[in-house]
Amino acid sequence: MSINNLINNSIQTMSSRAACLIVSIVFLLSNFIFYPVVFEQNDDVIMKLIANGYFTGQAESHLVFINIIAGSILKFLYTYIPRIEWYAVMQIGLIITVFFSNLYCIIKYETNAKRLILTLINLSLIYFLSRLQFSYVSGFLAISAVISQFYGLTNDNKKLLAFSVVLMLLSSLIRFEMFFFTYPILFITFLFKIKKVLSVKVAVIGGVLIIGAFLINQFSYKNNPDWKNYQDYNKARGTVTNNLNLNLDDKNLIQTLKLNDEDRFLLSNYIFTENLTTEKLKKLASYSKESHVSIEKSVVSIYSYVTAYSIVIIAFLLVSLITRRFTVAIAILLHIIMILITVRFSNMVQYRILYPTLFCLLFLYLQSLKTDESKSLSVFLTASLSIFVLIQVRDIKKNTFFNIRAQNNIREIEMQLPKNKAYLVDPTSNYFLIGRSAFENPERKFVFFGWLTNFPTNKKTYPDYNSNLYRMAEHPLIISNMNYNKLKSFIFNKTIYTIQEKNIVVPTVKTQ
């Protein structure tokens, strides 16, 4: 190759990367002009509040579900540039990275109709940008690593393969379990057969980095007594709340663990008394005639929680078999088996592993089709995918409406609460006060429970701290009126703020 050709190729490559990056940033950030950034669930809100110092008074790196390495970077940024909400910026930046990576592969290696079709699939990521969730972000990073490796191995692009390793590591840092539930199946079915030696080398390098980061995270928690105790307690608490077979009326269980009426009644409402230590919670989780959910219950759980997805994935399996895309069909079957295993042994639907995996399977399926040779097929797919993107935009608008309404309700409630107080928030009522807007924080000081029960800083801040917030008599409690009427016989807080209909807050001083 001549020097001129080499220079021209280098310029073209750099230009395509720069163009893809600019398009990714401009397109995705322009979305914020019309739609606010919202977290899908409370977990991200809580981790953001841990990271930015809302709970502790200073930035914190222990984010429980997210690796300590990512947490330390966030802590550094919050410490020295505190006015920016870095947790949300991180999530947005990683989604942009996924979008850019996929788009670069499409633009560089695909042509004509296939380029348009795969770009439309990539546009579906805007749906997840409008409802950020750390598990989704981790899953899509893992999927983007698969797509980058697919094109890198196929076209012998070493730089792209190196970048895919970075994506693998980022995925594991955001949530290790999500990487584990997505990447291995796709590696086995799609990547290993392309170039066995090179694909294994890339996977091993990524695996070593991921294991190293995982061990660093484990060491950080185990080396800190406060966070080790919290992590152990939180895991035990999670296994109890996820155990579908737990029978709190079992007489043997009650006698063995010495559970009183208060323990059992509050536990049925996800509130943990001081009697429920880490050791007792571990025994409680395993104490049932059947330790795991049956296959039948697993299938029912999947269809109950994600009916639409289940129909789509079965239809996709049939289409893959009919069109003789057996690699995709095998990947779908392994994916379904993985879901059954996680439901059966984790007693819950790990539904956030579903959508990133489906995205990748559909992407690689469409990539395998000869759309450039069939005009009717390319027109059909383009029209179908365009309708799908429009449906997503409609859902984003709905989500925006509900978020704005919820945020207004929260502000209305907060305005009725006196300032300069710290309010204990009933776990069954926290949805009244946890706003999911990515760039807004509570205006009042709230102490949340749930998976923040036994949070290390709370124990140090409140000398009378109790994992059962209803036993912290001197601290004001905020609770919905419905839950107060149900739980009031176990509530001993002297000052209670009940949330009535139309967000009216009524202060009550309870007589003992």
Side-chain angles (χ1 to χ4, degrees), residues 218-452:
Q218 292 297 101
F219 177 79
S220 175
Y221 278 88
K222 292 185 183 301
N223 199 43
N224 185 318
D226 290 338
W227 282 102
K228 181 184 183 303
N229 292 334
Y230 174 73
Q231 187 182 54
D232 291 343
Y233 182 89
N234 205 38
K235 285 182 178 179
R237 185 196 62 82
T239 56
V240 169
T241 57
N242 292 333
N243 194 326
L244 303 180
N245 295 311
L246 193 61
N247 180 12
L248 292 175
D249 294 323
D250 187 302
K251 292 182 178 180
N252 290 329
L253 182 148
I254 295 171
Q255 292 176 358
T256 302
L257 297 182
K258 298 179 180 179
L259 302 179
N260 57 37
D261 291 341
E262 181 182 31
D263 295 330
R264 292 185 293 117
F265 185 81
L266 293 183
L267 183 58
S268 67
N269 288 278
Y270 305 105
I271 296 156
F272 297 78
T273 65
E274 288 291 290
N275 185 38
L276 295 170
T277 62
T278 303
E279 291 69 26
K280 280 192 177 182
L281 289 175
K282 289 179 180 179
K283 292 178 181 177
L284 191 61
S286 61
Y287 197 101
S288 65
K289 293 180 180 179
E290 183 182 13
S291 60
H292 303 300
V293 179
S294 66
I295 290 292
E296 292 78 13
K297 285 186 179 180
S298 299
V299 174
V300 169
S301 296
I302 292 171
Y303 278 92
S304 298
Y305 287 98
V306 286
T307 305
Y309 176 87
S310 301
I311 294 171
V312 169
I313 200 70
I314 295 299
F316 190 19
L317 174 61
L318 294 175
V319 170
S320 301
L321 291 171
I322 293 169
T323 56
R324 302 178 66 82
R325 295 304 190 273
F326 298 120
T327 301
V328 175
I330 292 171
I332 292 173
L333 288 172
L334 291 174
H335 171 61
I336 292 173
I337 291 171
M338 176 71 82
I339 296 169
L340 287 170
I341 291 172
T342 58
V343 173
R344 179 170 168 75
F345 292 100
S346 297
N347 299 315
M348 61 186 294
V349 178
Q350 298 283 349
Y351 69 91
R352 290 193 181 87
I353 74 174
L354 306 180
Y355 300 105
T357 305
L358 178 60
F359 174 92
C360 189
L361 290 171
L362 185 57
F363 185 100
L364 294 175
Y365 175 83
L366 293 173
Q367 196 279 334
S368 71
L369 298 177
K370 297 180 179 179
T371 49
D372 289 343
E373 300 175 11
S374 174
K375 187 175 181 180
S376 58
L377 178 60
S378 63
V379 170
F380 170 75
L381 290 174
T382 301
S384 301
L385 293 172
S386 297
I387 292 171
F388 177 66
V389 172
L390 290 175
I391 291 172
Q392 286 187 309
V393 171
R394 182 201 63 182
D395 288 344
I396 291 171
K397 288 182 179 179
K398 286 184 179 179
N399 188 52
T400 299
F401 169 78
F402 289 119
N403 174 69
I404 292 174
R405 186 177 68 178
Q407 205 65 41
N408 289 338
N409 290 340
I410 290 169
R411 291 291 176 253
E412 189 176 339
I413 291 171
E414 285 184 327
M415 291 300 293
Q416 299 174 68
L417 297 172
K419 296 181 179 180
N420 303 320
K421 285 186 177 183
Y423 299 89
L424 308 181
V425 180
D426 167 51
T428 64
S429 308
N430 60 19
Y431 57 90
F432 282 100
L433 294 165
I434 298 182
R436 295 180 182 174
S437 179
F439 291 97
E440 291 189 50
N441 296 321
E443 292 185 358
R444 300 291 188 268
K445 182 66 177 179
F446 297 126
V447 181
F448 297 106
F449 285 70
W451 64 265
L452 280 175

Side-chain angles (χ1 to χ4, degrees), residues 52 67 71 133 148 156 171-172 192 198 207 220 247 258 284 373 415 456 500:
N52 68 22
N67 190 287
Q133 210 281 336
S148 299
D156 198 30
S171 172
S172 72
F192 179 69
L198 185 56
S220 175
N247 180 12
K258 298 179 180 179
L284 191 61
E373 300 175 11
M415 291 300 293
Q500 312 281 331

Side-chain angles (χ1 to χ4, degrees), residues 102 105-111 113-119 121 146-147 150-152 154-155 190-191 193-194 316 325 327-328 359-373 377 381 385:
N102 297 344
C105 292
I106 295 167
I107 298 299
K108 184 172 179 62
Y109 294 113
E110 301 295 352
T111 57
K114 190 174 290 186
R115 179 181 286 178
L116 174 60
I117 290 166
L118 293 178
T119 299
I121 282 290
V146 172
I147 293 172
F150 176 82
Y151 284 102
T154 304
N155 298 280
F190 289 100
L191 303 179
K193 65 180 182 179
I194 299 175
F316 190 19
R325 295 304 190 273
T327 301
V328 175
F359 174 92
C360 189
L361 290 171
L362 185 57
F363 185 100
L364 294 175
Y365 175 83
L366 293 173
Q367 196 279 334
S368 71
L369 298 177
K370 297 180 179 179
T371 49
D372 289 343
E373 300 175 11
L377 178 60
L381 290 174
L385 293 172

Side-chain angles (χ1 to χ4, degrees), residues 33 42 50 66 89 140 165 179 182 189 193 269 393 470:
I33 298 173
N42 294 343
I50 294 174
I66 292 178
V89 170
F140 280 112
V165 172
F179 175 83
T182 51
T189 50
K193 65 180 182 179
N269 288 278
V393 171
Y470 304 145

Side-chain angles (χ1 to χ4, degrees), residues 183-201:
Y183 178 86
I185 288 175
L186 295 165
F187 172 81
I188 292 169
T189 50
F190 289 100
L191 303 179
F192 179 69
K193 65 180 182 179
I194 299 175
K195 290 182 180 178
K196 295 181 180 178
V197 175
L198 185 56
S199 64
V200 170
K201 185 182 294 185

